Amino acid sequence: MTRRTPRLSRLRRVMPEGNTSGKGSRPAEARGGRPRRRGAQPKVVALGGGMGLSASLAALRRITGDLTAVVTVADDGGSSGRLRDELGVLPPGDLRKALAALCGDDDWGQTWARVIQHRFQSQGDLHEHAVGNLLIVALWEQLGDHVQALDLVGRLLGAQGRVLPMSAVPLELQALVKGHDPDRPDEVDTVRGQATVALTPGEVQSVHLVPNDPPAVPEAVDAVLDADWVVLGPGSWFSSVIPHLLVPELLEALTQTKARRVLSLNLAPQPGETEGFSPQRHLEVLGRHAPKLALDVVLADEAAVPDRDSLTDAAKRFGAMVELAPVARPDGTPRHDPELLAAAYDRIFRMHGRIGPWR
């Protein structure tokens, strides 16, 4: 995208003064949050998509002010899918969710988080479109630049971090699935589309992207190479986590970076996509898709690991050690608690990091 329009100069003049990098435009004191710590902070890059990435970002923004989200762009369902089909744009939904997760806990941040997540309810074409999706796509068309537009939305929201797409082209997720058709339980079919893969009743054996060698966004590659820590997961394993490993330039950056790498496991198998998966099975399928990937730490909720020895053995194949911590919400739902997950990340960064302390 290269087209630019003059009218955006008027918008820039009414935006808050300050940081223009997309990492938040006002100091924490002005937003009502706690002051940012002086001195070095870990540079953290989080990769994923959907609600899993949102949970990780909500935790990470509590412990560092130098945070970048790299988001999958293969969504083809709901509002994102409709905008993608009609306008030929990247699906904005997971990018919107990441931006909402980076909003602060003050009135400004929470108001904007609710606004961009708001979905219209009507009998017409706007039904179920999210406000943030429309805003992001409008800025893409106005600015002609994916990264600059997302940075501008981040400034508007006061986002405490930066959001980048993993690729600048819309991607189609395809999967080889055994038993996708219940009437043919032993046959392997090619299933197309992230929304369909996520809900398949069959056993997902592998996934790939179309095109199969999509270009990575350069800023995403640079962020991974420049990071102190890279966090992969949690999230839908085949449709949000593994796709990052299928972008050649991004996988190369993940294997070459001097950053330490954390894999954050899900709290429970996902119905359809990873039904019946053990924690170690998640690692096994990850390794099949990226056999050269090394990890430093595998983070899991201690209550979600019935066989610690098997998980430890699976982690060793990546060169990683296992950290168990209570990171689930206390209400019993399979969702991460932001404060508990932040505490777990903070402890890992301190115990295993090459630099620090950061406060």
Side-chain angles (χ1 to χ4, degrees):
M1 301 177 72
T2 57
R3 179 170 52 85
R4 302 174 65 89
T5 53
R7 74 183 73 176
L8 263 294
S9 62
R10 296 197 296 272
L11 181 56
R12 294 191 191 96
R13 285 196 293 270
V14 300
M15 296 295 293
E17 295 292 329
N19 189 342
T20 60
S21 67
K23 297 179 180 177
S25 56
R26 296 182 297 158
E29 298 93 323
R31 293 192 299 269
R34 66 186 183 189
R36 287 184 177 173
R37 302 183 297 275
R38 294 186 178 183
Q41 297 185 77
K43 296 179 180 179
V44 181
V45 176
L47 295 84
M51 298 309 297
L53 177 62
S54 295
S56 200
L57 295 175
L60 288 167
R61 68 175 172 80
R62 287 167 161 79
I63 59 176
T64 183
D66 199 335
L67 176 59
T68 301
V70 179
V71 184
T72 183
V73 285
D75 189 9
D76 62 347
S79 171
S80 288
R82 291 159 59 193
L83 290 168
R84 173 177 174 164
D85 291 342
E86 183 174 346
L87 302 174
V89 296
L90 295 180
D94 284 351
L95 297 161
R96 179 199 82 244
K97 292 174 186 175
L99 285 163
L102 290 174
C103 287
D105 295 323
D106 59 318
D107 288 342
W108 178 277
Q110 290 306 295
T111 297
W112 275 110
R114 289 192 298 271
V115 168
I116 65 170
Q117 295 282 54
H118 175 77
R119 291 184 183 272
F120 295 105
Q121 301 297 314
S122 73
Q123 301 299 316
D125 292 340
L126 276 177
H127 180 65
E128 282 297 315
H129 270 308
V131 171
N133 288 355
L134 302 177
L135 174 62
I136 290 169
V137 172
L139 284 170
W140 282 342
E141 292 193 346
Q142 289 283 312
L143 288 173
D145 186 299
H146 292 111
V147 172
Q148 185 181 1
L150 290 167
D151 284 348
L152 190 56
V153 177
R155 288 182 58 200
L156 174 65
L157 273 55
Q160 299 174 19
R162 193 182 197 193
V163 173
L164 300 169
M166 71 178 187
S167 179
V169 297
L171 304 173
E172 181 183 73
L173 185 72
Q174 295 187 1
L176 295 178
V177 181
K178 182 179 180 181
H180 178 67
D181 183 346
D183 294 331
R184 297 181 289 117
D186 295 325
E187 291 191 18
V188 176
D189 295 312
T190 298
V191 176
R192 294 173 172 83
Q194 179 176 321
T196 306
V197 171
L199 297 175
T200 180
E203 177 187 342
V204 179
Q205 298 187 333
S206 65
V207 291
H208 60 277
L209 296 174
V210 178
N212 61 9
D213 57 348
V217 168
E219 290 86 349
V221 172
D222 291 343
V224 170
L225 292 173
D226 193 44
D228 298 311
W229 283 92
V230 175
V231 177
L232 184 64
S236 300
W237 215 243
F238 287 106
S239 52
S240 292
V241 177
I242 290 177
H244 291 274
L245 308 178
L246 306 179
V247 179
E249 294 169 308
L250 199 52
L251 177 58
E252 183 179 5
L254 286 167
T255 57
Q256 291 185 354
T257 182
K258 294 181 179 179
R260 297 209 167 183
R261 288 152 289 209
V262 180
L263 179 68
S264 186
L265 293 178
N266 294 334
L267 297 171
Q270 181 177 347
E273 190 171 311
T274 55
E275 187 72 46
F277 272 35
S278 64
Q280 55 269 23
R281 178 79 182 279
H282 284 78
L283 284 173
E284 290 166 4
V285 299
L286 192 81
R288 289 205 302 267
H289 287 84
K292 295 183 180 180
L293 180 67
L295 299 170
D296 294 279
V297 179
V298 174
L299 171 64
D301 185 83
E302 55 189 3
V305 182
D307 186 346
R308 299 187 181 188
D309 290 340
S310 293
L311 179 58
T312 298
D313 289 342
K316 285 180 180 178
R317 299 188 187 104
F318 290 85
M321 63 185 305
V322 173
E323 288 287 345
L324 299 179
V327 294
R329 293 192 178 187
D331 60 8
T333 59
R335 295 184 297 169
H336 288 84
D337 182 276
E339 294 290 346
L340 292 176
L341 187 57
Y345 283 143
D346 192 51
R347 184 174 63 257
I348 288 171
F349 293 172
R350 291 169 177 277
M351 291 176 60
H352 303 282
R354 294 188 176 95
I355 63 171
W358 295 292
R359 63 177 173 185

